[in-house]
Amino acid sequence: MSGFKKFLMQGNVIDLAVAVVIGAAFNAIVQSFVADLLTPLISAFGGLPDFSSLKVTVGQSNFMYGNFINAIISFLMVAAVVYFFVVKPYTHVKERAAAKIESTTHDCPACLSEIPKNASRCAFCTTELAAV
């Protein structure tokens, strides 16, 4: 039982649990955005985007391929919302933050150890370095 308790208290398990809970809450927000804002906007320009009544009957079986089309359209809309409103802005912010961080070190040409940029001699191999 102590091994199980130790496993549950690991940081990555807790992080994963928090990510799942936040992901579920975020899913509700994105689904509402798509269903309540994007779908009516699309229907205003192209008619009602509901294909659920489409079906093919073979013998006694009904194949409701319209529901499948609705699911594909919903998935594509959710994926587009997540990409354009989460992934793209996050990537942009991350790239800007990375550009602001200037490295204060460089590699020694002789031993490839990381040394300060202003160093005149490598602390590891004592090679004299040209002024930066």
Side-chain angles (χ1 to χ4, degrees):
M1 197 67 176
S2 66
F4 183 67
K5 182 179 176 183
K6 185 177 177 182
F7 168 74
L8 287 179
M9 297 311 290
Q10 287 179 350
N12 54 357
V13 174
I14 302 297
D15 293 344
L16 181 60
V18 169
V20 167
V21 170
I22 290 175
F26 185 71
N27 179 46
I29 292 170
V30 172
Q31 290 289 347
S32 175
F33 180 74
V34 168
D36 299 333
L37 299 175
L38 287 184
T39 303
L41 183 64
I42 291 172
S43 66
F45 293 111
L48 186 63
D50 183 19
F51 301 103
S52 61
S53 62
L54 298 176
K55 65 181 178 177
V56 171
T57 304
V58 176
Q60 299 293 324
S61 300
N62 289 329
F63 293 94
M64 306 294 287
Y65 70 93
N67 288 332
F68 182 69
I69 293 172
N70 279 343
I72 290 173
I73 291 171
S74 177
F75 170 77
L76 292 174
M77 288 171 51
V78 168
V81 166
V82 169
Y83 177 75
F84 288 111
F85 291 105
V86 178
V87 174
K88 196 161 175 114
Y90 175 74
T91 304
H92 180 70
V93 169
K94 192 174 176 182
E95 287 172 354
R96 288 189 67 185
K100 288 183 180 179
I101 299 172
E102 186 179 328
S103 177
T104 60
T105 63
H106 70 280
D107 292 338
C108 171
C111 69
L112 301 177
S113 298
E114 189 174 305
I115 57 174
K117 276 190 176 180
N118 296 332
S120 59
R121 188 176 290 274
C122 178
F124 300 98
C125 69
T126 68
T127 300
E128 275 196 53
L129 304 169
V132 177

